[in-house]
Amino acid sequence: MSSNEQTFIAIKPDGVQRGLIGPIISRFESKGFRMAAIKLSQLPLPSPEHLEKHYSDLSDKPFFRGLISYMNSGPICAMVWEGRDAVKTGRTLLGATNPRDSAPGTIRGDFAIDVGRNVCHGSDTVENAQKEIALWFKKDELNAWKSAQNDWIYEKP
């Protein structure tokens, strides 16, 4: 299988509080991705320091402090999904960062209105996915397995 990769997807506190864990997982499973890890995290992990590291690329933005505070406001459902082009396709499933720019049928297009409550985080590059996965999961928390559906999802090369 070419371009098989892992991506990090987190359901933010608004998505958890609104009961969207199941519908969001269903979207990734229906697409054909395989879950490699999942955990529901709340203080002390993620801590503000943990979240600052996760969002370090946004540290110079005016909304950074509010983002860290918001992400610490409730549980976060952290997940690792695996499959062909998982990062790019995962971002497509999520929709645009600003829900107003997200197409209907995407997670943000269907479940979000404001950018500050956009339900999910998704890795934007393979390199960032690897960093984010390592930040949120220990190696022994990642499960390697082959879905019985694999041959029905992917063509053999």
Side-chain angles (χ1 to χ4, degrees):
M1 181 175 6
S2 66
S3 299
N4 190 43
E5 61 196 24
Q6 292 182 328
T7 192
F8 176 79
I9 301 292
I11 303 173
K12 296 177 179 180
D14 58 313
V16 173
Q17 292 288 345
R18 293 176 54 205
L20 296 175
I21 294 173
I24 291 169
I25 287 174
S26 181
R27 301 265 182 124
F28 282 85
E29 287 180 329
S30 294
K31 186 66 177 176
F33 290 119
R34 184 175 56 254
M35 184 184 285
I38 185 170
K39 68 169 73 166
L40 194 63
S41 295
Q42 193 170 2
L43 284 172
L45 182 65
S47 65
E49 296 77 24
H50 181 90
L51 291 165
E52 287 168 5
K53 189 181 281 188
H54 178 89
Y55 286 111
S56 63
D57 62 319
L58 301 175
S59 63
D60 61 342
K61 302 289 185 191
F63 59 82
F64 181 71
R65 285 280 133 224
L67 173 64
I68 299 305
S69 176
Y70 161 68
M71 290 296 288
N72 244 334
S73 69
I76 295 168
C77 181
M79 301 175 285
V80 178
W81 289 94
E82 191 170 276
R84 184 171 296 150
D85 298 317
V87 172
K88 180 181 177 187
T89 306
R91 297 281 293 184
T92 301
L93 288 172
L94 292 181
T97 301
N98 189 332
R100 287 178 287 197
D101 299 330
S102 293
T106 65
I107 291 167
R108 290 175 178 147
D110 290 350
F111 298 131
I113 295 172
D114 287 337
V115 72
R117 299 292 183 266
N118 67 0
V119 180
C120 282
H121 165 85
S123 300
D124 59 351
T125 65
V126 173
E127 296 76 25
N128 282 341
Q130 292 167 347
K131 289 178 197 170
E132 292 169 352
I133 291 167
L135 183 63
W136 288 81
F137 293 94
K138 298 174 186 152
K139 280 201 182 283
D140 66 352
E141 293 178 309
L142 300 174
N143 297 285
W145 59 288
K146 182 180 177 183
S147 170
Q149 299 177 38
N150 193 73
D151 293 342
W152 297 105
I153 295 169
Y154 299 105
E155 294 179 311
K156 295 188 191 235

